[in-house]
PDB file of all heavy atoms in Angstrom:
ATOM      1  N   THR A  58     -22.759  75.016  -4.285  1.00 94.00           N
ATOM      2  CA  THR A  58     -22.777  75.599  -5.622  1.00 94.00           C
ATOM      3  C   THR A  58     -23.180  74.568  -6.631  1.00 94.00           C
ATOM      4  O   THR A  58     -22.655  73.445  -6.556  1.00 94.00           O
ATOM      5  CB  THR A  58     -21.293  76.091  -5.955  1.00 94.00           C
ATOM      6  OG1 THR A  58     -20.926  77.220  -5.099  1.00 94.00           O
ATOM      7  CG2 THR A  58     -21.146  76.472  -7.360  1.00 94.00           C
ATOM      8  N   LEU A  59     -23.988  74.960  -7.568  1.00 93.00           N
ATOM      9  CA  LEU A  59     -24.447  74.164  -8.665  1.00 93.00           C
ATOM     10  C   LEU A  59     -23.559  74.508  -9.851  1.00 93.00           C
ATOM     11  O   LEU A  59     -23.542  75.570 -10.330  1.00 93.00           O
ATOM     12  CB  LEU A  59     -25.878  74.364  -9.029  1.00 93.00           C
ATOM     13  CG  LEU A  59     -26.923  74.179  -7.860  1.00 93.00           C
ATOM     14  CD1 LEU A  59     -28.314  74.509  -8.472  1.00 93.00           C
ATOM     15  CD2 LEU A  59     -26.899  72.751  -7.349  1.00 93.00           C
ATOM     16  N   ASP A  60     -22.730  73.472 -10.215  1.00 88.00           N
ATOM     17  CA  ASP A  60     -21.999  73.593 -11.582  1.00 88.00           C
ATOM     18  C   ASP A  60     -22.862  73.472 -12.668  1.00 88.00           C
ATOM     19  O   ASP A  60     -23.486  72.299 -12.835  1.00 88.00           O
ATOM     20  CB  ASP A  60     -20.802  72.484 -11.545  1.00 88.00           C
ATOM     21  CG  ASP A  60     -19.901  72.769 -12.628  1.00 88.00           C
ATOM     22  OD1 ASP A  60     -20.367  73.194 -13.749  1.00 88.00           O
ATOM     23  OD2 ASP A  60     -18.740  72.477 -12.517  1.00 88.00           O
ATOM     24  N   MET A  61     -23.188  74.404 -13.415  1.00 83.00           N
ATOM     25  CA  MET A  61     -24.158  74.406 -14.521  1.00 83.00           C
ATOM     26  C   MET A  61     -23.774  73.596 -15.701  1.00 83.00           C
ATOM     27  O   MET A  61     -24.522  73.395 -16.623  1.00 83.00           O
ATOM     28  CB  MET A  61     -24.563  75.845 -14.856  1.00 83.00           C
ATOM     29  CG  MET A  61     -25.119  76.610 -13.746  1.00 83.00           C
ATOM     30  SD  MET A  61     -26.706  76.060 -13.231  1.00 83.00           S
ATOM     31  CE  MET A  61     -27.707  76.619 -14.519  1.00 83.00           C
ATOM     32  N   GLY A  62     -22.531  73.156 -15.730  1.00 80.00           N
ATOM     33  CA  GLY A  62     -21.994  72.319 -16.837  1.00 80.00           C
ATOM     34  C   GLY A  62     -21.473  73.096 -18.053  1.00 80.00           C
ATOM     35  O   GLY A  62     -21.287  72.540 -19.127  1.00 80.00           O
ATOM     36  N   PHE A  63     -21.224  74.381 -17.910  1.00 79.00           N
ATOM     37  CA  PHE A  63     -20.779  75.273 -19.040  1.00 79.00           C
ATOM     38  C   PHE A  63     -19.213  74.975 -19.249  1.00 79.00           C
ATOM     39  O   PHE A  63     -18.715  75.234 -20.316  1.00 79.00           O
ATOM     40  CB  PHE A  63     -20.948  76.789 -18.731  1.00 79.00           C
ATOM     41  CG  PHE A  63     -22.384  77.147 -18.885  1.00 79.00           C
ATOM     42  CD1 PHE A  63     -23.051  77.596 -17.652  1.00 79.00           C
ATOM     43  CD2 PHE A  63     -23.091  77.179 -20.087  1.00 79.00           C
ATOM     44  CE1 PHE A  63     -24.360  77.929 -17.683  1.00 79.00           C
ATOM     45  CE2 PHE A  63     -24.408  77.497 -20.134  1.00 79.00           C
ATOM     46  CZ  PHE A  63     -25.118  77.950 -18.994  1.00 79.00           C
ATOM     47  N   GLY A  64     -18.537  74.614 -18.142  1.00 76.00           N
ATOM     48  CA  GLY A  64     -17.152  74.325 -18.255  1.00 76.00           C
ATOM     49  C   GLY A  64     -16.200  75.591 -18.009  1.00 76.00           C
ATOM     50  O   GLY A  64     -16.734  76.717 -18.309  1.00 76.00           O
ATOM     51  N   THR A  66     -15.194  77.125 -15.327  1.00 83.00           N
ATOM     52  CA  THR A  66     -15.419  77.965 -14.201  1.00 83.00           C
ATOM     53  C   THR A  66     -14.434  77.541 -13.042  1.00 83.00           C
ATOM     54  O   THR A  66     -14.302  76.434 -12.741  1.00 83.00           O
ATOM     55  CB  THR A  66     -16.895  77.854 -13.633  1.00 83.00           C
ATOM     56  OG1 THR A  66     -17.792  77.994 -14.655  1.00 83.00           O
ATOM     57  CG2 THR A  66     -17.166  78.796 -12.500  1.00 83.00           C
ATOM     58  N   TYR A  68     -13.724  77.529  -9.364  1.00 92.00           N
ATOM     59  CA  TYR A  68     -14.301  77.603  -8.002  1.00 92.00           C
ATOM     60  C   TYR A  68     -13.373  77.818  -6.847  1.00 92.00           C
ATOM     61  O   TYR A  68     -13.782  77.917  -5.666  1.00 92.00           O
ATOM     62  CB  TYR A  68     -15.204  76.420  -7.767  1.00 92.00           C
ATOM     63  CG  TYR A  68     -16.448  76.334  -8.666  1.00 92.00           C
ATOM     64  CD1 TYR A  68     -16.429  75.274  -9.676  1.00 92.00           C
ATOM     65  CD2 TYR A  68     -17.403  77.261  -8.789  1.00 92.00           C
ATOM     66  CE1 TYR A  68     -17.399  75.159 -10.643  1.00 92.00           C
ATOM     67  CE2 TYR A  68     -18.494  77.122  -9.557  1.00 92.00           C
ATOM     68  CZ  TYR A  68     -18.530  76.069 -10.511  1.00 92.00           C
ATOM     69  OH  TYR A  68     -19.495  75.929 -11.347  1.00 92.00           O
ATOM     70  N   LYS A  85     -22.030  70.702  -6.572  1.00 94.00           N
ATOM     71  CA  LYS A  85     -22.832  69.663  -7.241  1.00 94.00           C
ATOM     72  C   LYS A  85     -22.902  69.773  -8.678  1.00 94.00           C
ATOM     73  O   LYS A  85     -23.344  70.792  -9.316  1.00 94.00           O
ATOM     74  CB  LYS A  85     -24.280  69.827  -6.622  1.00 94.00           C
ATOM     75  CG  LYS A  85     -25.268  68.771  -7.292  1.00 94.00           C
ATOM     76  CD  LYS A  85     -26.657  68.923  -6.698  1.00 94.00           C
ATOM     77  CE  LYS A  85     -27.696  67.971  -7.436  1.00 94.00           C
ATOM     78  NZ  LYS A  85     -27.233  66.622  -7.194  1.00 94.00           N
ATOM     79  N   PRO A  86     -22.215  68.774  -9.343  1.00 90.00           N
ATOM     80  CA  PRO A  86     -22.257  68.921 -10.887  1.00 90.00           C
ATOM     81  C   PRO A  86     -23.643  68.695 -11.417  1.00 90.00           C
ATOM     82  O   PRO A  86     -24.459  67.916 -10.954  1.00 90.00           O
ATOM     83  CB  PRO A  86     -21.353  67.740 -11.240  1.00 90.00           C
ATOM     84  CG  PRO A  86     -20.667  67.372 -10.027  1.00 90.00           C
ATOM     85  CD  PRO A  86     -21.483  67.665  -8.845  1.00 90.00           C
ATOM     86  N   THR A  87     -24.014  69.445 -12.427  1.00 88.00           N
ATOM     87  CA  THR A  87     -25.268  69.374 -13.205  1.00 88.00           C
ATOM     88  C   THR A  87     -25.030  69.496 -14.666  1.00 88.00           C
ATOM     89  O   THR A  87     -24.013  70.086 -15.121  1.00 88.00           O
ATOM     90  CB  THR A  87     -26.292  70.375 -12.681  1.00 88.00           C
ATOM     91  OG1 THR A  87     -26.138  71.546 -13.343  1.00 88.00           O
ATOM     92  CG2 THR A  87     -26.404  70.522 -11.205  1.00 88.00           C
ATOM     93  N   GLY A  88     -26.034  69.157 -15.467  1.00 81.00           N
ATOM     94  CA  GLY A  88     -25.993  69.361 -16.933  1.00 81.00           C
ATOM     95  C   GLY A  88     -26.946  70.368 -17.392  1.00 81.00           C
ATOM     96  O   GLY A  88     -27.341  70.316 -18.607  1.00 81.00           O
ATOM     97  N   ILE A  89     -27.384  71.259 -16.477  1.00 85.00           N
ATOM     98  CA  ILE A  89     -28.461  72.175 -16.808  1.00 85.00           C
ATOM     99  C   ILE A  89     -28.144  73.059 -17.946  1.00 85.00           C
ATOM    100  O   ILE A  89     -28.934  73.303 -18.907  1.00 85.00           O
ATOM    101  CB  ILE A  89     -28.779  72.979 -15.519  1.00 85.00           C
ATOM    102  CG1 ILE A  89     -29.269  72.126 -14.455  1.00 85.00           C
ATOM    103  CG2 ILE A  89     -29.691  74.089 -15.895  1.00 85.00           C
ATOM    104  CD1 ILE A  89     -29.606  72.847 -13.066  1.00 85.00           C
ATOM    105  N   GLY A  90     -26.933  73.664 -17.995  1.00 80.00           N
ATOM    106  CA  GLY A  90     -26.564  74.577 -19.072  1.00 80.00           C
ATOM    107  C   GLY A  90     -26.548  73.990 -20.388  1.00 80.00           C
ATOM    108  O   GLY A  90     -27.306  74.489 -21.327  1.00 80.00           O
ATOM    109  N   PRO A  91     -25.892  72.763 -20.615  1.00 81.00           N
ATOM    110  CA  PRO A  91     -26.037  72.142 -21.973  1.00 81.00           C
ATOM    111  C   PRO A  91     -27.458  71.692 -22.291  1.00 81.00           C
ATOM    112  O   PRO A  91     -27.861  71.690 -23.501  1.00 81.00           O
ATOM    113  CB  PRO A  91     -25.104  70.948 -21.820  1.00 81.00           C
ATOM    114  CG  PRO A  91     -24.066  71.396 -20.794  1.00 81.00           C
ATOM    115  CD  PRO A  91     -24.873  72.234 -19.792  1.00 81.00           C
ATOM    116  N   ILE A  92     -28.219  71.335 -21.317  1.00 83.00           N
ATOM    117  CA  ILE A  92     -29.615  70.847 -21.639  1.00 83.00           C
ATOM    118  C   ILE A  92     -30.382  71.955 -22.207  1.00 83.00           C
ATOM    119  O   ILE A  92     -31.076  71.802 -23.226  1.00 83.00           O
ATOM    120  CB  ILE A  92     -30.201  70.268 -20.389  1.00 83.00           C
ATOM    121  CG1 ILE A  92     -29.632  68.902 -19.992  1.00 83.00           C
ATOM    122  CG2 ILE A  92     -31.796  70.170 -20.550  1.00 83.00           C
ATOM    123  CD1 ILE A  92     -30.129  68.371 -18.636  1.00 83.00           C
ATOM    124  N   ILE A  93     -30.214  73.089 -21.558  1.00 78.00           N
ATOM    125  CA  ILE A  93     -31.175  74.309 -21.918  1.00 78.00           C
ATOM    126  C   ILE A  93     -30.591  74.973 -23.272  1.00 78.00           C
ATOM    127  O   ILE A  93     -31.439  75.275 -24.147  1.00 78.00           O
ATOM    128  CB  ILE A  93     -31.054  75.327 -20.933  1.00 78.00           C
ATOM    129  CG1 ILE A  93     -31.938  74.834 -19.706  1.00 78.00           C
ATOM    130  CG2 ILE A  93     -31.797  76.633 -21.271  1.00 78.00           C
ATOM    131  CD1 ILE A  93     -31.932  75.660 -18.498  1.00 78.00           C
ATOM    132  N   PHE A  94     -29.398  75.098 -23.349  1.00 77.00           N
ATOM    133  CA  PHE A  94     -28.787  75.862 -24.549  1.00 77.00           C
ATOM    134  C   PHE A  94     -28.429  75.148 -25.766  1.00 77.00           C
ATOM    135  O   PHE A  94     -28.336  75.623 -26.842  1.00 77.00           O
ATOM    136  CB  PHE A  94     -27.628  76.754 -24.043  1.00 77.00           C
ATOM    137  CG  PHE A  94     -28.099  77.860 -23.199  1.00 77.00           C
ATOM    138  CD1 PHE A  94     -27.897  77.756 -21.750  1.00 77.00           C
ATOM    139  CD2 PHE A  94     -28.575  79.045 -23.609  1.00 77.00           C
ATOM    140  CE1 PHE A  94     -28.351  78.734 -20.924  1.00 77.00           C
ATOM    141  CE2 PHE A  94     -28.992  80.166 -22.879  1.00 77.00           C
ATOM    142  CZ  PHE A  94     -28.864  79.979 -21.473  1.00 77.00           C
ATOM    143  N   CYS A 106     -34.561  77.148 -16.536  1.00 81.00           N
ATOM    144  CA  CYS A 106     -33.374  77.083 -15.847  1.00 81.00           C
ATOM    145  C   CYS A 106     -33.572  77.240 -14.316  1.00 81.00           C
ATOM    146  O   CYS A 106     -33.061  76.447 -13.507  1.00 81.00           O
ATOM    147  CB  CYS A 106     -32.337  78.149 -16.381  1.00 81.00           C
ATOM    148  SG  CYS A 106     -30.719  78.230 -15.493  1.00 81.00           S
ATOM    149  N   ALA A 107     -34.416  78.237 -13.938  1.00 83.00           N
ATOM    150  CA  ALA A 107     -34.724  78.498 -12.529  1.00 83.00           C
ATOM    151  C   ALA A 107     -35.363  77.221 -11.876  1.00 83.00           C
ATOM    152  O   ALA A 107     -34.950  76.874 -10.771  1.00 83.00           O
ATOM    153  CB  ALA A 107     -35.656  79.642 -12.418  1.00 83.00           C
ATOM    154  N   MET A 109     -35.071  74.057 -12.866  1.00 87.00           N
ATOM    155  CA  MET A 109     -34.199  73.044 -12.753  1.00 87.00           C
ATOM    156  C   MET A 109     -33.038  73.233 -11.678  1.00 87.00           C
ATOM    157  O   MET A 109     -32.696  72.368 -10.923  1.00 87.00           O
ATOM    158  CB  MET A 109     -33.372  72.874 -14.162  1.00 87.00           C
ATOM    159  CG  MET A 109     -34.370  72.311 -15.261  1.00 87.00           C
ATOM    160  SD  MET A 109     -33.451  72.176 -16.827  1.00 87.00           S
ATOM    161  CE  MET A 109     -32.550  70.647 -16.500  1.00 87.00           C
ATOM    162  N   ARG A 110     -32.670  74.582 -11.510  1.00 89.00           N
ATOM    163  CA  ARG A 110     -31.799  74.812 -10.519  1.00 89.00           C
ATOM    164  C   ARG A 110     -32.352  74.653  -9.050  1.00 89.00           C
ATOM    165  O   ARG A 110     -31.704  74.150  -8.166  1.00 89.00           O
ATOM    166  CB  ARG A 110     -31.202  76.320 -10.699  1.00 89.00           C
ATOM    167  CG  ARG A 110     -30.215  76.417 -11.706  1.00 89.00           C
ATOM    168  CD  ARG A 110     -29.580  77.829 -11.808  1.00 89.00           C
ATOM    169  NE  ARG A 110     -30.496  78.915 -12.258  1.00 89.00           N
ATOM    170  CZ  ARG A 110     -31.041  79.842 -11.423  1.00 89.00           C
ATOM    171  NH1 ARG A 110     -30.685  79.937 -10.140  1.00 89.00           N
ATOM    172  NH2 ARG A 110     -31.849  80.695 -11.976  1.00 89.00           N
ATOM    173  N   ASN A 191     -20.615  84.974 -13.958  1.00 71.00           N
ATOM    174  CA  ASN A 191     -21.668  83.952 -14.423  1.00 71.00           C
ATOM    175  C   ASN A 191     -21.279  83.610 -15.937  1.00 71.00           C
ATOM    176  O   ASN A 191     -21.329  84.482 -16.741  1.00 71.00           O
ATOM    177  CB  ASN A 191     -22.946  84.793 -14.352  1.00 71.00           C
ATOM    178  CG  ASN A 191     -24.231  83.747 -14.652  1.00 71.00           C
ATOM    179  OD1 ASN A 191     -23.930  82.683 -15.021  1.00 71.00           O
ATOM    180  ND2 ASN A 191     -25.385  84.337 -14.335  1.00 71.00           N
ATOM    181  N   PRO A 192     -21.249  82.347 -16.162  1.00 71.00           N
ATOM    182  CA  PRO A 192     -20.928  81.884 -17.534  1.00 71.00           C
ATOM    183  C   PRO A 192     -22.127  81.725 -18.458  1.00 71.00           C
ATOM    184  O   PRO A 192     -22.162  81.552 -19.686  1.00 71.00           O
ATOM    185  CB  PRO A 192     -20.278  80.537 -17.383  1.00 71.00           C
ATOM    186  CG  PRO A 192     -20.826  79.999 -16.239  1.00 71.00           C
ATOM    187  CD  PRO A 192     -21.170  81.186 -15.198  1.00 71.00           C
ATOM    188  N   CYS A 193     -23.359  82.015 -17.863  1.00 70.00           N
ATOM    189  CA  CYS A 193     -24.615  81.948 -18.650  1.00 70.00           C
ATOM    190  C   CYS A 193     -24.612  82.817 -19.893  1.00 70.00           C
ATOM    191  O   CYS A 193     -24.379  84.065 -19.690  1.00 70.00           O
ATOM    192  CB  CYS A 193     -25.764  82.037 -17.748  1.00 70.00           C
ATOM    193  SG  CYS A 193     -27.318  82.043 -18.682  1.00 70.00           S
TER     194      CYS A 193
END
Side-chain angles (χ1 to χ4, degrees):
T58 293
L59 302 179
D60 186 327
M61 300 293 286
F63 291 112
T66 304
Y68 295 112
K85 178 179 174 61
T87 78
I89 295 175
I92 289 172
I93 291 176
F94 290 99
C106 180
M109 294 181 71
R110 285 188 290 112
N191 187 351
C193 175

